[in-house]
């Protein structure tokens, strides 16, 4: 459905099927007062025309009905501490205002993400908070929420294909400050391990890395820039960089797991950290203090990101903020200096 087209209403369905709005409403709520066959026809027509009633809006218009207080949350993966900390923030903020969350895992797969969104529509969640999967290339499943007047808020990995509210950390400044610190403590050749290039956070962190180098008169060398966002790949890529005629003396990684993969590899090769090589990650999860030496990293404050996303969404659900108003909030990062840097 085009975002320029007004979303279908129950009144439209009633007019097209020659029935009353009350009949449509009861059928969509599976009321036994409507025959099973008629319910099936009305519900099928609604699905075919992408109509999903805003359960909260209906409840507020009919105060005798308890409103849906369930928020759909999509998490790309649970392996990263960052996403679990965001989830904690969302749940605590939601519970404090009387809402519950329904959590689903996309596993970084577009098709699964789209199916989850369809399920959320059927469950009539009052709103959705989501971080898109790495390989998401089509945004119709997100646009459908907007067309149906169901608020949606993105966190971490924002979707540039739809105009919706979002909460992100200051990825650019986080990367810029980290790389600046590496330079100011003696590193002159800093490798960059980043995420998939189509993601907005990857672009912002790369730009922070690049600008820090240029600001300090260092050249950008594509041979030490890699798409790498996990420990396994880091352990494969790092030996190749170490074998260069002029290997890196510093590494900046997109997350802590990747940084730990670098740390393991350089130590296994007999190098000393931070005397020979400095390493900086991005997350500040529990693993950052479980390695030796402990990891210097950029703290993302995931819990605060989750709290902000939930606050924006619930304000829209309850009518304190217009659904169509796009809010963009940035949570500041901070560099946590530990043993992997000088």
């Amino acid at each position: 459905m085009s975002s320029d087209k007004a979303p279908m209403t129950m009144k439209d369905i009633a007019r097209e099927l020659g029935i009353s709005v009350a009949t449509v409403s009861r059928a969509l709520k599976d009321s036994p007062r409507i025959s099973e066959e008629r319910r099936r026809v009305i519900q099928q027509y609604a699905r075919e025309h992408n109509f999903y009633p805003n359960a909260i809006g209906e409840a507020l218009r009919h105060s005798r009905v308890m409103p849906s207080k369930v928020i759909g949350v999509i998490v790309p993966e649970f392996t990263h501490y960052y996403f679990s900390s965001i989830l904690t923030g969302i749940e605590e903020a939601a519970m404090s205002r009387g809402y519950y969350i329904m959590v689903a895992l996309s596993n970084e797969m577009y098709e699964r993400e789209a199916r989850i969104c369809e399920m959320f529509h059927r469950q009539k969640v009052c709103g959705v908070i989501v971080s898109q999967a790495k390989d998401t290339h089509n945004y119709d499943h997100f646009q459908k929420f907007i067309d149906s007047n169901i608020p949606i808020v993105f966190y971490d990995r924002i979707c540039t294909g739809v105009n919706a509210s979002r909460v992100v950390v200051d990825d650019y400044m986080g990367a810029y400050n980290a790389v600046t610190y590496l330079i100011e403590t003696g590193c002159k050749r800093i490798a960059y391990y980043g995420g998939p290039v189509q993601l907005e956070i990857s672009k912002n962190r790369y730009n922070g890395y690049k600008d820090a180098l240029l600001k300090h008169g260092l050249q950008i060398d594509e041979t030490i820039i890699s798409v790498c966002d996990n420990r396994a790949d880091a352990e494969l890529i790092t030996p190749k960089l170490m074998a260069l005629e002029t290997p890196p003396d510093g590494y900046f990684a997109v997350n802590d797991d990747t940084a730990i993969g670098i740390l393991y590899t350089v130590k296994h090769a007999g190098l000393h950290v931070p005397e020979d090589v400095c390493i900086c990650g991005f997350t500040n999860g529990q693993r950052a203090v479980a390695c030796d030496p402990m990891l210097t990293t950029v703290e993302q404050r995931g819990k605060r990101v989750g709290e902000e996303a939930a606050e924006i969404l619930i304000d829209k659900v309850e009518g304190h903020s217009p659904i169509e108003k796009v809010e963009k909030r940035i949570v500041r990062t901070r560099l946590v200096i530990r043993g992997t840097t000088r």
Side-chain angles (χ1 to χ4, degrees):
M1 182 183 292
S2 167
S3 58
D4 296 330
K5 185 177 179 182
M8 175 168 280
T9 65
M10 284 194 283
K11 188 175 181 180
D12 296 329
I13 297 175
R15 184 177 62 250
E16 292 297 321
L17 297 181
I19 55 180
S20 70
V21 173
T23 298
V24 174
S25 177
R26 291 185 184 116
L28 294 178
K29 294 174 183 174
D30 273 333
S31 170
R33 295 175 62 182
I34 309 299
S35 70
E36 185 176 342
E37 175 61 21
R38 175 163 281 195
R39 270 185 280 161
R40 184 189 65 77
V41 170
I42 294 170
Q43 290 172 3
Q44 181 176 337
Y45 184 89
R47 280 195 302 273
E48 289 173 351
H49 292 79
N50 293 323
F51 176 78
Y52 298 90
N54 184 335
I56 278 283
E58 285 296 295
L60 293 177
R61 284 192 292 273
H62 304 88
S63 58
R64 290 172 298 173
V65 180
M66 286 296 292
S68 165
K69 291 218 166 188
V70 178
I71 298 168
V73 180
I74 303 179
V75 181
E77 56 181 329
F78 282 130
T79 55
H80 285 308
Y81 167 83
Y82 181 54
F83 288 123
S84 64
S85 64
I86 289 174
L87 197 57
T88 298
I90 293 172
E91 182 169 41
E92 288 185 4
M95 289 287 285
S96 72
R97 294 180 66 171
Y99 289 76
Y100 299 91
I101 63 174
M102 180 188 298
V103 183
L105 178 68
S106 71
N107 247 356
E108 301 288 15
M109 294 186 289
Y110 160 73
E111 294 291 344
R112 182 163 173 165
E113 181 182 81
R115 290 198 302 272
I116 291 169
C117 287
E118 185 65 30
M119 180 268 289
F120 282 166
H121 272 293
R122 291 197 303 272
Q123 295 295 326
K124 296 180 175 61
V125 297
C126 63
V128 177
I129 300 174
V130 57
S131 178
Q132 74 172 55
K134 286 179 184 175
D135 70 344
T136 294
H137 55 276
N138 181 295
Y139 312 116
D140 289 350
H141 54 303
F142 295 142
Q143 185 63 46
K144 189 181 289 186
F145 289 114
I146 296 171
D147 293 339
S148 303
N149 289 321
I150 299 172
I152 180 169
V153 177
F154 288 92
Y155 67 90
D156 189 53
R157 301 179 196 159
I158 63 173
C159 176
T160 56
V162 297
N163 194 28
S165 297
R166 72 279 306 265
V167 181
V168 296
V169 299
D170 196 342
D171 293 295
Y172 173 87
M173 284 307 300
Y176 180 88
N177 290 336
V179 176
T180 294
Y181 181 80
L182 289 172
I183 296 168
E184 290 178 346
T185 53
C187 295
K188 299 188 181 304
R189 186 164 164 77
I190 303 167
Y192 174 80
Y193 288 24
V197 294
Q198 75 271 16
L199 295 177
E200 198 70 12
I201 62 170
S202 300
K203 297 174 188 174
N204 291 337
R205 292 181 193 177
Y206 172 72
N207 286 335
Y209 161 82
K210 178 188 69 175
D211 288 352
L213 293 184
L214 295 176
K215 172 81 172 179
H216 293 84
L218 299 179
Q219 294 297 312
I220 295 168
D221 183 351
E222 296 292 336
T223 64
I224 57 173
I225 295 173
S226 305
V227 175
C228 175
D229 63 359
N230 61 77
R231 176 172 178 165
D233 287 347
E235 291 179 10
L236 292 174
I237 292 171
T238 305
K240 299 175 184 177
L241 299 194
M242 293 170 62
L244 293 173
E245 184 175 344
T246 309
D249 59 0
Y251 292 83
F252 174 68
V254 70
N255 58 47
D256 288 354
D257 284 349
T258 303
I260 290 169
I262 299 167
L263 174 62
Y264 172 84
T265 305
V266 299
K267 286 179 62 179
H268 190 70
L271 296 179
H272 296 94
V273 180
E275 293 82 4
D276 301 322
V277 175
C278 294
I279 302 166
C280 182
F282 207 115
T283 300
N284 197 31
Q286 295 170 342
R287 295 176 189 177
V289 294
C291 54
D292 181 27
M294 291 191 288
L295 186 67
T296 292
T297 185
V298 178
E299 184 176 43
Q300 288 181 277
R301 298 176 64 206
K303 187 169 181 285
R304 186 61 202 151
V305 170
E307 290 168 349
E308 294 267 1
E311 287 168 7
I312 291 173
L313 187 87
I314 295 170
D315 280 347
K316 291 183 181 300
V317 167
E318 295 183 348
H320 304 304
S321 173
I323 289 180
E324 65 275 10
K325 180 184 177 184
V326 174
E327 294 194 45
K328 301 176 183 179
R329 296 189 190 176
I330 298 176
V331 175
R332 293 184 182 276
T333 60
R334 72 182 182 99
L335 182 63
V336 180
I337 299 166
R338 297 195 182 97
T340 57
T341 54
R342 302 183 188 108

